[in-house]
């Protein structure tokens, strides 16, 4: 290997420092807006590396973060893995028992924690689970009393040398770790090697990926604790582009202000983030989006209505899909060359609302219940399997999960999909969420997208509930917009769905709720809906004969 640095993170840091020393990194923190350059970032990253050496964090050991999106968190992104240690990002929104399991399972040596999350970490602290943890570093210049061995970040790195002799690392060395959100059972740890993060970074920088160049201003709203903010801190650094970090719990006003003040060109997050910005602007707040070119949406499906709204404001929505097990990006819904001219706007919207085209470097297949590959016709569906250089082939210390979730070098994603003639992947459902009614399948995701396309609906989730005759029937949980008449809305939704889908797809009930429960990563939690309403009889009697699957 030339120089021994093939496919590791180190060259990205070197390139940004040497070629773009004056490019800014801007961060909203607990202490206000802070800004500095790649040159200064490299100095502080070296200081952090020395500080970890001084406290005796050994080669290959795991260092955890419990933080929002800001510059200090970003400093750990290179200081930890580029010294041969492993960056372990912990989701602070997980239940205490999951945090305890994760820390104990990973055997973390240090935990970096934000001041606003210190109480949450202290509440989750358990002497047995946290036995491996020797140091808590609070991300700021002051140290709250946590009842643990804590020091503030600035004191931790202060006085250390701003140069560091970064070691030559093997590309197969583990560099990062993230745990799944654990909606079914305990969270599962996924390790990322240097090579996995390198190849994911290179793929996402391409035009077929996220297309990040050195002239971009990139603001990941997707949390840095969630699969490395979809890898954007790495790809932005590799490109030499400007970083903007929105800090702790940003609201729509914070996001709008940073877009305007910093000239953000690319941003990314789950649909609920952009729904909040949309509502903020619709409430009469004047927001200048003139610099914003692209909003990357992932985590759950981007409704067509949202894509249209951003189009009307001169901003392109890029729909992406991925998984923790995939580092995470797997497909992006770009229009193929020529399709923009060949398709009507409505046809383009249909493609852009899908999960998109697999990014360069990955392969996929779609397998039906009989183990056969399904044709690419947009109708037949099966489970999506993927493989490639940034797709994991095992979970950390979970042999039982490895047996069920992998087949050879294929990751069995658990997503039920169709693929159209142009190769666009569309998720029909999660395997655990697809509704089987009268021997036929109903896509809860497709129904949700249809319902959320209505202007008077803020959020919606569809789940299958047990039914004596039909096995399962769909029930829709709907969050109406402000001031909407619920009875009229239900009637309008029934009419709208009946026009587009078979009668037996029509939900048997529409239940008004204040908010769809969310997972720790911001996705709709159908598991929580099922548990919350499990004791209620949601579906009574039988589906009318004309609405039964076998009547179509």
């Amino acid at each position: 290997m030339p120089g021994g640095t093939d496919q590791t993170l180190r060259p990205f840091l070197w390139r940004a420092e040497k070629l773009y020393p004056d490019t800014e990194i801007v961060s909203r923190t607990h202490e206000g807006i802070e800004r500095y350059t790649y040159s200064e970032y490299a100095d502080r990253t070296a200081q952090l590396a020395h500080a970890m050496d001084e406290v005796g964090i050994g080669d290959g050991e795991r260092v955890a973060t419990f933080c929002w999106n800001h510059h200090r968190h970003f400093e750990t992104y290179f200081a930890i893995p580029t010294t041969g240690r492993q960056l372990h990002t912990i989701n602070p929104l997980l239940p205490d028992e999951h945090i305890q399991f994760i820390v104990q399972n990973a055997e973390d040596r240090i935990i970096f924690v934000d001041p606003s999350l210190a109480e949450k970490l202290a509440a989750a602290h358990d002497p047995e689970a946290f036995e491996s943890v020797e140091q808590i570093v609070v991300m700021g210049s002051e140290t709250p009393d946590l009842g643990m061995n804590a020091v503030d970040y600035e004191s931790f790195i202060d006085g250390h040398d701003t140069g560091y002799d970064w070691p030559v690392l093997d590309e197969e060395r583990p560099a990062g770790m993230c745990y799944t959100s654990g909606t079914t059972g305990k969270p599962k740890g996924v390790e990322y090697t240097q090579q996995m993060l390198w190849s994911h970074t290179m793929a996402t920088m391409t035009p077929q990926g996220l297309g990040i160049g050195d002239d971009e201003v990139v603001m990941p709203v997707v949390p840095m604790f969630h699969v490395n903010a979809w890898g954007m801190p790495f790809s932005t650094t590799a490109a030499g582009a400007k970083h903007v970090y929105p800090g702790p719990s940003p609201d729509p006003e914070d996001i709008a202000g940073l877009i305007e003040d910093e000239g953000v060109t690319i941003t990314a997050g789950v649909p609920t983030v952009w729904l909040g910005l949309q509502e903020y602007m619709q409430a009469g707040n004047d927001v200048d989006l003139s610099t914003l070119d692209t909003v990357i949406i992932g985590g759950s499906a981007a409704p067509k209505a949202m894509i249209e709204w951003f189009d009307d404001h001169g901003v392109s929505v890029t729909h992406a899909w991925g998984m923790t097990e995939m580092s995470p990006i797997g497909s992006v819904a770009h229009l193929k060359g020529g399709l923009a001219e060949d398709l009507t706007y409505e046809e383009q919207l249909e493609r852009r609302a899908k999960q998109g085209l697999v990014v360069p470097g990955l392969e996929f297949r779609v397998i039906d219940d009989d183990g056969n590959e399904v044709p690419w016709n947009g109708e037949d569906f099966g489970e999506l399997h993927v493989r490639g250089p940034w797709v994991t082939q095992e979970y950390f210390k979970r042999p039982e999960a490895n047996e069920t979730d992998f087949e050879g070098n294929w990751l069995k994603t658990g997503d039920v999909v169709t693929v159209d003639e142009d190769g666009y992947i569309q998720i029909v459902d999660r395997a655990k969420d697809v509704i089987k009614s009268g021997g036929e399948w109903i896509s809860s995701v497709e129904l949700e997208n249809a319902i959320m396309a209505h202007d008077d609906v803020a959020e919606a989730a569809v789940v299958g509930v047990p039914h004596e005759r039909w096995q399962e029937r769909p029930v829709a949980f709907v969050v109406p917009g402000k001031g909407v008449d619920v009875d009229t809305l239900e009637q309008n939704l029934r009419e709208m769905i009946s026009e587009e889908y078979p009668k037996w797809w029509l939900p048997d009930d529409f239940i008004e709720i204040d908010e769809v429960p969310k997972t720790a990563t911001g996705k709709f939690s159908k598991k929580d809906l099922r548990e919350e309403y499990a004791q209620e009889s949601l579906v009574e009697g039988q589906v009318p004969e004309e609405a039964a699957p076998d009547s179509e």
Side-chain angles (χ1 to χ4, degrees):
M1 298 181 185
T5 60
D6 285 13
Q7 300 185 9
T8 68
L9 294 173
R10 183 172 70 162
F12 299 150
L13 176 62
W14 178 89
R15 184 175 188 272
E17 178 188 7
K18 300 300 182 184
L19 300 187
Y20 301 93
D22 299 324
T23 296
E24 279 192 318
I25 297 160
V26 181
S27 176
R28 173 179 168 267
T29 73
H30 303 86
E31 300 155 339
I33 298 293
E34 300 194 27
R35 63 182 71 236
Y36 61 173
T37 64
Y38 272 127
S39 177
E40 294 167 303
Y41 170 80
D43 289 347
R44 286 173 58 86
T45 300
Q47 289 181 298
L48 177 54
H50 283 297
M52 288 187 293
D53 290 347
E54 185 175 87
V55 296
I57 307 305
D59 191 41
E61 292 192 298
R62 279 171 284 280
V63 178
T65 62
F66 202 78
C67 304
W68 302 112
N69 296 17
H70 51 71
H71 69 293
R72 293 185 179 101
H73 196 179
F74 175 45
E75 287 165 12
T76 71
Y77 265 55
F78 278 93
I80 294 171
T82 310
T83 55
R85 300 169 176 111
Q86 197 169 350
L87 172 68
H88 172 206
T89 56
I90 300 176
N91 185 338
L93 305 180
L94 290 172
D96 289 352
E97 59 270 24
H98 283 188
I99 293 169
Q100 292 161 4
F101 170 81
I102 285 170
V103 171
Q104 187 171 37
N105 190 243
E107 298 179 304
D108 295 314
R109 291 288 309 282
I110 296 180
I111 300 179
F112 291 87
V113 59
D114 275 355
S116 63
L117 296 171
E119 278 190 29
K120 168 70 172 174
L121 183 65
H125 179 262
D126 174 80
E128 183 178 350
F130 281 58
E131 182 180 7
S132 62
V133 179
E134 298 180 8
Q135 181 77 68
I136 303 294
V137 181
V138 181
M139 292 297 216
S141 54
E142 297 180 359
T143 308
D145 183 10
L146 300 178
M148 296 178 276
N149 180 25
V151 63
D152 70 88
Y153 185 86
E154 294 305 320
S155 297
F156 187 64
I157 69 170
D158 186 48
H160 289 291
D161 195 338
T162 56
Y164 194 86
D165 185 14
W166 303 103
V168 174
L169 301 174
D170 189 292
E171 60 192 28
E172 295 304 318
R173 174 188 290 271
M177 172 178 268
C178 185
Y179 281 73
T180 63
S181 56
T183 54
T184 54
K186 290 281 195 257
K188 292 176 286 193
V190 177
E191 290 188 296
Y192 308 120
T193 66
Q194 292 276 343
Q195 183 273 337
M196 288 171 70
L197 295 179
W198 183 91
S199 57
H200 181 269
T201 299
M202 298 300 285
T204 55
M205 287 173 62
T206 65
Q208 293 89 350
L210 304 183
I212 297 175
D214 62 4
D215 58 343
E216 304 289 358
V217 180
V218 183
M219 182 173 73
V221 182
V222 54
M224 293 173 75
F225 57 71
H226 181 51
V227 208
N228 303 319
W230 300 344
M232 297 183 78
F234 295 126
S235 52
T236 304
T237 304
K242 176 179 174 179
H243 298 247
V244 177
Y245 290 105
S249 305
D251 61 25
E253 184 178 2
D254 297 323
I255 292 169
L258 287 168
I259 291 172
E260 290 184 343
D261 296 343
E262 304 303 330
V264 171
T265 61
I266 298 178
T267 184
V270 297
T272 49
V273 169
W274 310 117
L275 178 63
L277 180 62
Q278 183 178 338
E279 291 175 343
Y280 178 75
M281 293 177 65
Q282 290 172 335
N285 296 289
D286 186 25
V287 179
D288 181 4
L289 300 180
S290 59
T291 65
L292 188 60
D293 296 323
T294 305
V295 170
I296 300 162
I297 292 183
S300 47
K304 287 183 184 177
M306 182 183 291
I307 298 176
E308 290 182 276
W309 185 87
F310 274 103
D311 280 349
D312 290 342
H313 288 78
V315 180
S316 176
V317 167
T318 300
H319 200 196
W321 167 84
M323 298 177 68
T324 302
E325 292 86 342
M326 298 171 60
S327 307
I329 292 176
S331 64
V332 183
H334 293 300
L335 284 178
K336 275 186 172 181
L339 288 183
E341 292 78 25
D342 296 341
L343 301 179
T344 65
Y345 179 69
E346 284 301 319
E347 290 170 331
Q348 291 179 32
L349 270 182
E350 182 184 342
R351 300 296 199 288
R352 292 169 62 199
K354 294 184 178 184
Q355 279 60 51
L357 303 168
V358 66
V359 296
L362 297 185
E363 295 176 89
F364 74 90
R365 65 184 187 186
V366 182
I367 304 298
D368 64 20
D369 290 341
D370 297 322
N372 301 316
E373 288 198 47
V374 305
W376 292 12
N377 56 19
E379 297 179 3
D380 292 290
F381 56 82
E383 184 182 22
L384 178 64
H385 295 184
V386 293
R387 67 182 178 188
W390 57 89
V391 181
T392 190
Q393 295 186 31
E394 62 180 359
Y395 293 113
F396 183 69
K397 299 181 183 177
R398 293 292 292 274
E400 78 289 349
N402 293 340
E403 290 183 10
T404 59
D405 291 0
F406 298 91
E407 186 174 298
N409 59 357
W410 292 99
L411 167 69
K412 298 158 70 175
T413 67
D415 283 323
V416 178
V417 307
T418 62
V419 185
D420 66 21
E421 294 85 349
D422 291 314
Y424 284 82
I425 299 167
Q426 181 172 21
I427 293 179
V428 176
D429 227 324
R430 289 292 293 169
K432 63 180 182 290
D433 291 330
V434 70
I435 300 165
K436 193 166 188 178
S437 184
E440 298 292 339
W441 295 103
I442 297 173
S443 167
S444 66
V445 169
E446 198 163 342
L447 282 176
E448 287 163 3
N449 290 342
I451 293 169
M452 285 192 290
H454 195 287
D455 292 338
D456 291 337
V457 174
E459 294 180 342
V462 175
V463 302
V465 299
H467 193 279
E468 183 178 353
R469 179 175 179 185
W470 302 113
Q471 186 178 350
E472 284 187 311
R473 290 295 301 153
V475 169
F477 294 87
V478 178
V479 180
K482 294 179 180 178
V484 172
D485 180 86
V486 177
D487 292 335
T488 302
L489 176 60
E490 179 176 341
Q491 181 181 345
N492 291 341
L493 289 174
R494 288 185 180 277
E495 291 174 358
M496 182 181 72
I497 294 172
S498 296
E499 291 174 1
E500 192 170 350
Y501 296 99
K503 291 179 180 178
W504 54 273
W505 274 51
L506 185 68
D508 283 21
D509 202 359
F510 290 81
I511 298 176
E512 179 190 0
I513 57 176
D514 294 331
E515 181 184 9
V516 176
K518 311 293 193 304
T519 69
T521 55
K523 300 177 184 179
F524 290 169
S525 178
K526 299 184 186 182
K527 173 176 174 283
D528 287 344
L529 277 178
R530 292 189 191 99
E531 290 177 354
E532 184 175 352
Y533 292 91
Q535 303 306 315
E536 296 190 21
S537 177
L538 298 179
V539 180
E540 298 177 355
Q542 296 181 347
V543 183
E545 197 64 38
E546 66 272 14
D550 54 10
S551 68
E552 291 297 316

